Amino acid sequence: MMKRSFVMTALMIAVIIIAIAIAILRSSMQSTLPMSYVNKLKELLINGSFTATYNRSFMETIKTSYGYQRTAQCNETMQYGIGSINDGRIFINTEETSCMPSNIPILPTVELAYWTNGTSMCFAVYSMVNNRSEGTINCYPPGTYPLLRVFMPFNEFLGNATFNLVTSGYSANYSVITYIHYVNTTKWNGQATYCFQVISNITLSQSVAQGYSNIAILTSLTCLLPNGLPAITIFNETVITKSSSSAVTYTIMQGRSELINYTLNYFNTTAFNELISKIRS
């Protein structure tokens, strides 16, 4: 009888241990799986390639320390492309924007590209306003290639970062502190997504001919596809810009972004070359 009681007790303890082990394993899997989506996005931004188009609608309010204020409701189509050419990392973005009221000063069509050239970061900007085109290409001094991260889309998912650049009369101080917390799941076009609360505090101060600094606070609920791409983002962003003249500008944006379509493992090299050619012609 004592032997039977001992066996039963041992079996009960074994069942409890197994149940605890399963609970721990499930908890571990639940926390690990969502973060794998974040890691896939990081890999896309750092080493991968994709082209993705988003629709974005947002309310933007701009206020200045000298009394100017205006509010606009805007809709935007954005196409991002990230890839590499000749071992240099490239990011290209095309924006088509419309805002109400119609007298809001905006650039309706803008093409931007940022890329690394050796240890320098270069950029190109091309815009069309009233059938007139304007464009510029410039490169920062050697040693400024970390600046590419500042302009990367979804760069808050790359995690915390700090860097200080001082080179050839140019300086930049950049830091980002990000908190990423898994919230729930939802669906985009029938595909499961994992949604995260993302809170980022970003500071950037630069000194070229005139110095300025940006402080940005970004709060978003971002839902990622299994391949890492953001499918839906609900965002609230506040940017405080200070210029060397002590003027301060507050830009507040609240809105929603949704993925329209995408192609993985594809960077539109032709679009990048055409942008450079348009500016140089």
Side-chain angles (χ1 to χ4, degrees):
M1 187 71 178
M2 185 179 293
K3 185 177 180 181
R4 184 178 178 184
S5 176
F6 173 78
V7 171
M8 291 297 293
T9 302
L11 285 174
M12 289 178 64
I13 293 173
V15 168
I16 292 171
I17 291 173
I18 291 171
I20 292 173
I22 291 173
I24 292 173
L25 181 61
R26 283 179 176 172
S27 176
S28 174
M29 289 177 65
Q30 287 174 353
S31 62
T32 301
L33 182 58
M35 290 310 296
S36 71
Y37 285 37
V38 174
N39 292 334
K40 286 181 180 179
L41 175 55
K42 289 181 181 178
E43 182 62 25
L44 282 175
L45 296 175
I46 296 170
N47 298 312
S49 63
F50 68 85
T51 297
T53 304
Y54 290 84
N55 264 344
R56 189 166 74 150
S57 59
F58 58 92
M59 179 77 75
E60 180 183 71
T61 299
I62 296 178
K63 298 186 291 185
T64 68
S65 56
Y66 49 85
Y68 173 80
Q69 179 172 333
R70 61 94 164 156
T71 298
Q73 179 66 51
C74 301
N75 292 292
E76 203 166 52
T77 300
M78 308 176 73
Q79 185 178 83
Y80 296 119
I82 290 180
S84 299
I85 298 178
N86 298 327
D87 296 324
R89 201 74 180 134
I90 298 177
F91 158 51
I92 186 170
N93 177 26
T94 302
E95 302 175 1
E96 295 182 1
T97 308
S98 61
C99 294
M100 293 296 292
S102 57
N103 62 348
I104 291 292
I106 62 165
L107 296 175
T109 303
V110 181
E111 295 177 74
L112 310 100
Y114 302 90
W115 67 97
T116 55
N117 182 12
T119 64
S120 297
M121 190 204 79
C122 302
F123 67 91
V125 181
Y126 180 84
S127 62
M128 288 288 296
V129 181
N130 298 327
N131 296 321
R132 291 183 56 190
S133 63
E134 293 186 8
T136 183
I137 297 176
N138 204 351
C139 289
Y140 289 112
T144 53
Y145 65 93
L147 276 174
L148 180 65
R149 171 169 174 168
V150 178
F151 302 98
M152 279 275 195
F154 321 121
N155 65 356
E156 64 272 16
F157 280 93
L158 290 172
N160 297 346
T162 59
F163 59 78
N164 299 298
L165 301 173
V166 179
T167 176
S168 303
Y170 175 87
S171 65
N173 300 304
Y174 175 75
S175 70
V176 55
I177 299 174
T178 298
Y179 304 92
I180 301 174
H181 174 68
Y182 168 66
V183 178
N184 57 18
T185 62
T186 188
K187 289 188 180 250
W188 174 84
N189 285 1
Q191 298 184 63
T193 66
Y194 278 95
C195 302
F196 301 84
Q197 182 187 52
V198 184
I199 301 173
S200 287
N201 296 298
I202 303 169
T203 61
L204 171 64
S205 60
Q206 291 182 321
S207 176
V208 195
Q210 292 183 337
Y212 73 90
S213 65
N214 277 345
I215 300 173
I217 302 170
L218 171 64
T219 302
S220 70
L221 179 70
T222 301
C223 301
L224 303 182
L225 291 168
N227 57 32
L229 278 179
I232 301 168
T233 300
I234 300 170
F235 59 90
N236 189 326
E237 180 177 339
T238 300
V239 178
I240 303 170
T241 303
K242 297 180 181 179
S243 69
S244 58
S245 63
S246 299
V248 181
T249 300
Y250 302 87
T251 303
I252 302 167
M253 293 178 62
Q254 298 173 315
R256 186 179 192 276
S257 173
E258 183 167 351
L259 182 64
I260 301 174
N261 54 59
Y262 66 90
T263 305
L264 289 181
N265 304 314
Y266 172 71
F267 176 72
N268 194 340
T269 305
T270 301
F272 174 73
N273 290 333
E274 288 178 349
L275 170 61
I276 302 303
S277 296
K278 282 191 295 188
I279 295 173
R280 287 177 172 167
S281 62

